[in-house]
Amino acid sequence: MAKTAILSGANPALPGDDLPRTPRCPRTRGRVARDARLGRGPVSCLIVTSETIRVPEYQQYIGGAWAGSGRLYDDLDPYRGTVVARVAAGTRSDAARAVDAAAAAFPAWADLPPTEKQTLFLRAADIVERRRAELVALLAAETGCASGFAGFQLLTAVRLLRQASNWAYLPAGEVIRSDIPGTFALALRRPLGVVAGISPWNGAQVLAWRTVVNPLAFGNTVVLKPSEEAPVSAGLVVAEILEEAGFPSGVLNVVTHAPGEAVPIADEFFERPEVRCINFTGSSATGRILAERAGRALKRCVLELGGYNPLIVLADADLDYAVEATAFAAFFHSGQICMNARKVLVEESVYDTFVDRLTARAQMLRSGDPADPATLIGPLITPAALARVSREVDEAVAAGARVLTGGTADGPCYRPTILADVPAGARIHSEETFGPVLVAQSVASADEAVAVANSTSYGLSAGILTRDNQRGFALARRIDAGVVHVNDQTVADEPQLPLGGVKDSGWGRSGPHSMADFTELQWITTREGTGSYPI
Ligand code: ADP
């Protein structure tokens, strides 16, 4: 049974279709109906402000069973402030059980024939596709994600699962010539063991799938700790889907926790020898803490962190296209994607025209309810996140920055904002602000643009808008970033491509290239006959 069967109130009927659908809890009815179809237990009914609404309760997924530590916390809708789900507030002992389960499942999973793994990943892809509409609604309710980014997340997840279904067939190593006569030498790739995944809320689905699928596809088992802001879409839903697809018990385990309670879970990951790698996606600040701890524990870590992503507009660019590309890069998902453009560097001869047109374009972007398909800019994830973005903009303005558009909140959303003349001392000048805020800066030349692009501590993604691809390619090679798009903007992800950062943006690459991160090489030799030794 996937969920606890707690029913308060008098209605024991399972489907619950007779209950009124309330606009304060739009997902509830669909959720109940689906649970009934799967033959799972009923979800809970809570009495909230005298109106009975259904709020699903989620336990943790450990060793193929749904169970929890008893305590639940409220998972909130960032737009409405209502309760989307009540989720297990897991503890360190839950993490310990999850590591045990993953360690127990590892040998059989590592040895499962590729064809069987392939079947499982392909089934999971089909389930994601089948649940697409429901997952889009979940992403809106739990993470404030508008439909455009939700659709992108699910498409990428399906493609990742389909591609990863073949990764178990990738070459498992090399034969290397030995200088010792009769010796046959191999560098054989082996999975690491248990990989602990820590996933964020912002691209909840796509990043959770990436956190889970890359290590699983190379034969590891996984304990996933999703963000407390998105425990369902960044974790529990992945478990539901892999369970339905038939993945063996213990191959994926999901441990959830209440806000502010991540550290005891991470303590377990760091202190257990079975956990061989920490696979983290999140902020550079947290990545630094985890990397320090991984250093002490001598554990491998893979870090996909923040970025201060420059978008360069050269004078020869198609300005209509450049405006569209920049608006998308800066404001997609309200600037809450690690690859969003944070600074647009425009050659001075086109700066004024470009900035005027971009400002007009930004003013056309509609913010509001992410559940409305017409909405382009949803809310920021929490009131604290909104306050942080407001504060950082206000500080820049107090230091002399000019607001070209935006600069204020709109309910739980922040208006698309463009700042000019941002002084070097302002935090926003070179630090990631996780909101829809773009800094515009004029540059005298492409060389200056490259110098400014390389001047931050980050190095995730960059874009160069030019009609001259050859020149763009030459510039791209001078930019210190894990990803550079010529004649395109900064936000992109394809499962087969090596997304990842340099400098403070992290270590490691996603997709098939993550084989280097999630396997280790074992040197094996066999020798014919006998050798002779000097002692
Ligand atoms: P954000 O500030 O955008 O939420 P974080 O980097 O803080 O980004 O969060 C990303 C993930 O890291 C989440 O799953 C969160 O629970 C987790 N996390 C945050 N702090 C720690 C920590 N000290 N140890 C382990 N995990 C952490």
Side-chain angles (χ1 to χ4, degrees):
M1 182 178 289
K3 311 288 179 300
T4 46
I6 304 167
L7 212 68
S8 65
N11 184 356
L14 225 192
D17 283 343
D18 47 335
L19 283 181
R21 186 173 195 164
T22 107
R24 291 169 58 80
C25 189
R27 290 183 42 240
T28 309
R29 191 162 143 159
R31 171 97 225 157
V32 171
R34 194 178 60 73
D35 280 350
R37 268 205 316 280
L38 294 178
R40 291 179 174 164
V43 293
S44 62
C45 277
L46 300 177
I47 307 297
V48 179
T49 60
S50 77
E51 153 190 61
T52 301
I53 60 169
R54 292 175 180 274
V55 176
E57 289 189 357
Y58 284 88
Q59 299 300 339
Q60 302 173 90
Y61 186 65
I62 299 174
W66 294 87
S69 48
R71 215 161 40 103
L72 299 171
Y73 78 96
D74 290 344
D75 175 20
L76 300 179
D77 176 326
Y79 187 71
R80 294 176 175 73
T82 49
V83 179
V84 174
R86 306 198 70 228
V87 176
T91 60
R92 182 165 177 170
S93 65
D94 297 314
R97 289 190 302 112
V99 172
D100 289 343
F106 172 65
W109 176 249
D111 286 345
L112 194 71
T115 183
E116 291 183 41
K117 289 191 175 114
Q118 187 178 44
T119 303
L120 295 171
F121 282 111
L122 291 176
R123 265 195 226 136
D126 291 346
I127 297 167
V128 176
E129 257 180 356
R130 191 194 74 217
R131 292 182 62 176
R132 187 182 180 286
E134 174 214 341
L135 294 174
V136 166
L138 171 65
L139 284 166
E142 196 184 35
T143 70
C145 179
S147 60
F149 186 46
F152 170 82
Q153 291 196 53
L154 296 170
L155 184 69
T156 308
V158 168
R159 289 179 177 168
L160 171 64
L161 284 159
R162 296 212 166 115
Q163 293 187 20
S165 72
N166 280 332
W167 293 351
Y169 284 111
L170 289 178
E174 294 171 62
V175 181
I176 301 172
R177 289 195 189 282
S178 165
D179 284 326
I180 300 169
T183 290
F184 185 75
L186 291 173
L188 205 61
R189 286 214 172 267
R190 305 196 312 167
L192 306 175
V194 178
V195 173
I198 300 180
S199 66
W201 51 266
N202 59 332
Q205 266 282 288
V206 68
L207 297 177
W209 283 112
R210 187 200 293 168
T211 302
V212 165
V213 169
N214 291 339
L216 285 187
F218 294 115
N220 304 280
T221 52
V222 171
V223 178
L224 174 65
K225 186 213 82 59
S227 166
E228 57 271 47
E229 307 296 349
V232 184
S233 55
L236 295 161
V237 146
V238 173
E240 283 183 351
I241 291 170
L242 294 196
E243 179 187 46
E244 188 187 343
F247 278 69
S249 298
V251 167
L252 171 67
N253 307 274
V254 179
V255 179
T256 54
H257 63 86
E261 297 180 5
V263 173
I265 313 274
D267 288 345
E268 185 67 17
F269 294 162
F270 283 108
E271 288 174 26
R272 289 291 293 273
E274 296 91 333
V275 175
R276 304 290 289 273
C277 174
I278 308 295
N279 180 23
F280 172 74
T281 302
S283 63
S284 297
T286 302
R288 197 179 299 279
I289 293 169
L290 298 179
E292 284 174 6
R293 298 199 63 185
R296 276 202 301 280
L298 286 179
K299 286 189 199 299
R300 204 178 265 214
C301 68
V302 177
L303 305 170
E304 211 268 75
L305 308 178
Y308 190 86
N309 308 299
L311 185 51
I312 297 171
V313 181
L314 297 181
D316 76 336
D318 173 339
L319 283 198
D320 288 338
Y321 169 61
V323 165
E324 291 302 312
T326 307
F328 174 82
F331 304 126
F332 194 45
H333 196 35
S334 309
Q336 299 176 114
I337 304 174
C338 55
M339 295 171 287
N340 282 121
R342 306 295 174 196
K343 184 175 272 189
V344 61
L345 298 161
V346 190
E347 272 198 284
E348 59 193 2
S349 61
V350 293
Y351 178 81
D352 288 341
T353 313
F354 173 81
V355 162
D356 284 351
R357 282 155 72 172
L358 181 66
T359 300
R361 185 71 185 87
Q363 286 164 352
M364 290 161 57
L365 297 173
R366 178 174 152 171
S367 25
D369 183 352
D372 178 348
T375 296
L376 296 169
I377 308 283
L380 296 191
I381 186 71
T382 56
L386 182 67
R388 190 165 54 241
V389 171
S390 298
R391 191 175 60 244
E392 290 177 0
V393 170
D394 293 349
E395 280 169 7
V397 171
R402 270 187 310 124
V403 178
L404 302 182
T405 187
T408 51
D410 173 13
C413 307
Y414 197 77
R415 290 193 171 85
T417 297
I418 305 173
L419 301 179
D421 304 331
V422 176
R427 191 182 178 282
I428 259 175
H429 182 268
S430 48
E431 288 290 326
E432 180 181 53
T433 294
F434 227 52
V437 181
L438 180 72
V439 172
Q441 186 172 328
S442 165
V443 287
S445 64
D447 285 343
E448 187 187 345
V450 170
V452 175
N454 286 341
S455 65
T456 71
S457 61
Y458 299 95
L460 184 56
S461 182
I464 303 171
L465 292 163
T466 172
R467 286 189 168 99
D468 182 345
N469 273 0
Q470 203 173 348
R471 182 175 176 226
F473 183 72
L475 292 170
R477 298 188 61 205
R478 292 167 53 197
I479 291 183
D480 223 356
V483 182
V484 186
H485 300 292
V486 175
N487 206 29
D488 213 335
Q489 50 74 43
T490 56
V491 181
D493 190 8
E494 293 189 58
Q496 74 279 16
L497 287 164
L499 180 59
V502 299
K503 303 196 288 184
D504 288 1
S505 294
W507 308 325
R509 295 293 178 268
S510 61
H513 299 87
S514 70
M515 181 194 262
D517 298 313
F518 297 121
T519 62
E520 53 204 356
L521 286 173
Q522 185 177 39
W523 175 25
I524 297 182
T525 64
T526 58
R527 183 171 194 160
E528 285 170 14
T530 56
S532 62
Y533 306 98
I535 57 166

